[in-house]
Amino acid sequence: MEVDARGVTPGTAAAERTIRYASLLLDAGESIKAPAWYLGHADPGFTLRVYTHLMPASEERTRRAIDDLSKNPRPQIDSRPRTGRSGHQPAARLDGRLYRAATVADVTDAKPVVEVVAYDPAWSERFRVEQRLLSEALPTVLSVEHFGSTSIPGLAAKPIIDIMAVVPKADAVVTDLRSLERLGYVYRPMAFPEDHDHLFFAKDTAGVRSHHLHIFGVTSLVPAANRVLRAYIAATPDAARRYEAAKRRAAELHPYSRAQYGAAKEEMMTYLSGEARLWSQSARRPSEKGW
C-alpha cells in the first residue's frame, strides 16, 4: 500500500486530517517550512505553490479562533531543531495549545467563500487592467504575469485573478506600499515570513475577494515553477480535466472554508506538479513569460 513521507496512506481519513492541519497552520500565519515538514514535502517551495491561495482573508479569523481555544494570544514557538519521519528539519514547532486548537478549530465563513465557476473570457481583460496599473505602481518591475486557473482559457476556476510580479528585490517594495494601497492591495506580511523573496497582497472589490498579487524577487525559483505548471495544464486536456474535476469536488465539499477546499485538492496538485516537471524536462521547453 502506498504511503507518503509521513507514513500516511493518501486518500484516507488520516491523510485528510494531516492536510487539514497543515492548511490551518499556514492559514494561521505559520512559516511555510512548518507545514512543509509536517506534510513530508522535501521542497517547501512546492508547499508554498500548493497553498498560496489559502493566505487571504481568513488569516486573522483563524488566529482569533485559535486564540479563543488556546486562551493564549500568541502561542509559544519551540524553535529547537527536530527531525521528522521525512528526515527534514522543521523551521518551528507549535506548542500543544496551538496543535489542539488547529485540529479542533474548523474555521469557516458565514457565507460561501469558495465557488468554482465556468471560465470567463473577461478574466484576461481584468488581468490586463491590473497589469497596466501595477506596471505604473511598481517602477522597477521586470514582469507582471497572469497565472493560476483564471489564466488558462476554458478552465473553470474561482473568480479570483492571480497575478505574479517579478522585481529586482522584493524587500524594496515594502519600504513604500502607498502606490499598491491606492490600488486596493493589502499587504499580508504573515503569508510567507520565511521567504524574503515572496510578498503577498490581497484585493477585494465591492467587499468580495477579487485579486491575489504575488511579488517575487528576481532570484526566486517559484515563478518558473508556476509558469511550467500553467503551461502544462493549458497544453494537456487530460490534466485540465482532472484538475477541474478536483476543484469542483473540493468546492462542493467545502464551500465555506478556503483551507479545507485547498486540502481537498492537494493530492491532485501534487500529481500535476510532478507531471508538469517531467513534461517540461522531456520536452525541453523553457519557461515562457507573459502568460
Side-chain angles (χ1 to χ4, degrees):
M1 181 178 294
E2 181 184 359
V3 296
D4 66 12
R6 301 192 72 255
V8 177
T9 303
T12 63
E16 183 178 348
R17 287 194 298 271
T18 297
I19 295 170
R20 180 177 299 180
Y21 173 51
S23 301
L24 286 169
L25 293 185
L26 199 53
D27 205 24
E30 283 306 309
S31 159
I32 191 69
K33 293 182 181 179
W37 168 80
Y38 187 80
L39 287 168
H41 294 165
D43 177 16
F46 169 74
T47 313
L48 179 154
R49 293 190 294 276
V50 170
Y51 288 95
T52 284
H53 59 288
L54 300 179
M55 295 303 134
S58 57
E59 176 185 324
E60 290 303 321
R61 188 173 56 257
T62 301
R63 183 169 287 111
R64 286 196 299 270
I66 290 174
D67 289 345
D68 289 342
L69 286 169
S70 65
K71 303 303 182 182
N72 186 357
R74 289 296 296 173
Q76 298 299 310
I77 301 295
D78 181 355
S79 59
R80 293 173 295 177
R82 297 173 69 249
T83 302
R85 230 176 253 165
S86 65
H88 301 107
Q89 302 250 338
R93 179 181 64 81
L94 303 178
D95 69 7
R97 290 185 296 274
L98 182 53
Y99 177 86
R100 287 191 296 274
T103 53
V104 172
D106 184 9
V107 181
T108 60
D109 284 83
K111 60 182 180 179
V113 294
V114 177
E115 182 183 15
V116 174
V117 301
Y119 176 76
D120 185 347
W123 290 341
S124 59
E125 178 57 30
R126 286 174 56 194
F127 160 71
R128 285 191 290 270
V129 169
E130 295 299 310
Q131 184 183 41
R132 290 191 291 270
L133 294 172
L134 289 169
S135 295
E136 296 175 358
L138 299 168
T140 64
V141 72
L142 303 174
S143 64
V144 180
E145 308 170 43
H146 191 186
F147 79 110
S149 296
T150 59
S151 70
I152 303 175
L155 186 66
K158 300 195 311 300
I160 300 174
I161 307 301
D162 290 306
I163 302 172
M164 177 170 65
V166 177
V167 297
K169 291 186 178 181
D171 286 346
V173 174
V174 299
T175 61
D176 187 354
L177 297 174
R178 288 175 296 178
S179 61
L180 291 174
E181 290 171 347
R182 282 194 289 269
L183 297 179
Y185 288 97
V186 178
Y187 179 39
R188 303 280 185 175
M190 292 304 295
F192 306 101
E194 295 293 328
D195 187 352
H196 301 298
D197 266 349
H198 187 178
L199 309 176
F200 178 75
F201 298 78
K203 177 177 179 176
D204 290 355
T205 301
V208 177
R209 181 58 43 82
S210 58
H211 299 78
H212 287 161
L213 171 63
H214 301 263
I215 298 180
F216 296 96
V218 71
T219 59
S220 175
L221 300 178
V222 176
N226 286 339
R227 294 174 188 133
V228 168
L229 180 60
R230 191 276 179 188
Y232 173 68
I233 295 176
T236 312
D238 178 65
R241 177 189 59 77
R242 287 182 287 137
Y243 187 36
E244 181 172 312
K247 289 192 298 178
R248 287 193 180 280
R249 174 167 173 75
E252 290 174 0
L253 291 173
H254 307 294
Y256 297 95
S257 170
R258 289 188 180 96
Q260 292 180 32
Y261 165 80
K265 67 185 184 74
E266 195 265 354
E267 186 174 5
M268 179 57 66
M269 283 293 296
T270 300
Y271 286 128
L272 291 175
S273 295
E275 291 174 8
R277 287 193 297 271
L278 292 174
W279 173 81
S280 179
Q281 292 166 5
S282 64
R284 295 185 178 179
R285 299 174 184 269
S287 298
E288 296 181 357
K289 292 173 59 176
W291 45 263

